[in-house]
Amino acid sequence: MKKKSPDHEAVAADSARPASFEAASAELENIVAAMEAGQMSLEDSLSAYKRGVELLQYCQATLKDTQQQIKILEADMLKNFSTVEHDEH
């Protein structure tokens, strides 16, 4: 049985859902830096790439949800502000 390198074990251990957007972003930055350093084996690079895709999808979904929430909040706030503005004129 082939022994896994420390990089591979770290990527496998981190395959759970990130604690937050910031944690996912930081982990993704670490993966990119490790891959750019060129010190990973092919197997480790593949595992890191897969984890990076998971993190990227998580970040994109989080951003999309946040943008939707902002649109909803802005729509409610704009309605309230426009009512106040019309009352003053």
Side-chain angles (χ1 to χ4, degrees):
M1 185 170 166
K2 182 180 174 184
K3 185 177 178 181
K4 295 180 180 178
S5 69
D7 287 335
H8 182 75
E9 290 173 1
V11 170
D14 289 337
S15 63
R17 181 179 166 99
S20 66
F21 176 84
E22 292 78 11
S25 180
E27 185 180 345
L28 188 55
E29 287 177 17
N30 290 337
I31 289 172
V32 170
M35 291 181 77
E36 286 178 344
Q39 301 298 315
M40 300 173 89
S41 69
L42 181 61
E43 182 180 293
D44 292 343
S45 294
L46 181 59
S47 294
Y49 182 84
K50 288 178 182 178
R51 178 61 177 163
V53 169
E54 292 172 0
L55 293 168
L56 183 59
Q57 290 172 343
Y58 172 83
C59 288
Q60 288 173 334
T62 302
L63 286 173
K64 184 178 179 182
D65 291 346
T66 302
Q67 287 173 334
Q68 185 62 34
Q69 289 177 16
I70 290 170
K71 286 180 184 178
I72 291 168
L73 290 172
E74 285 179 342
D76 288 343
M77 291 174 64
L78 290 175
K79 288 178 187 174
N80 292 337
F81 286 137
S82 64
T83 304
V84 172
E85 290 176 6
H86 289 298
D87 291 342
E88 292 177 2
H89 292 274

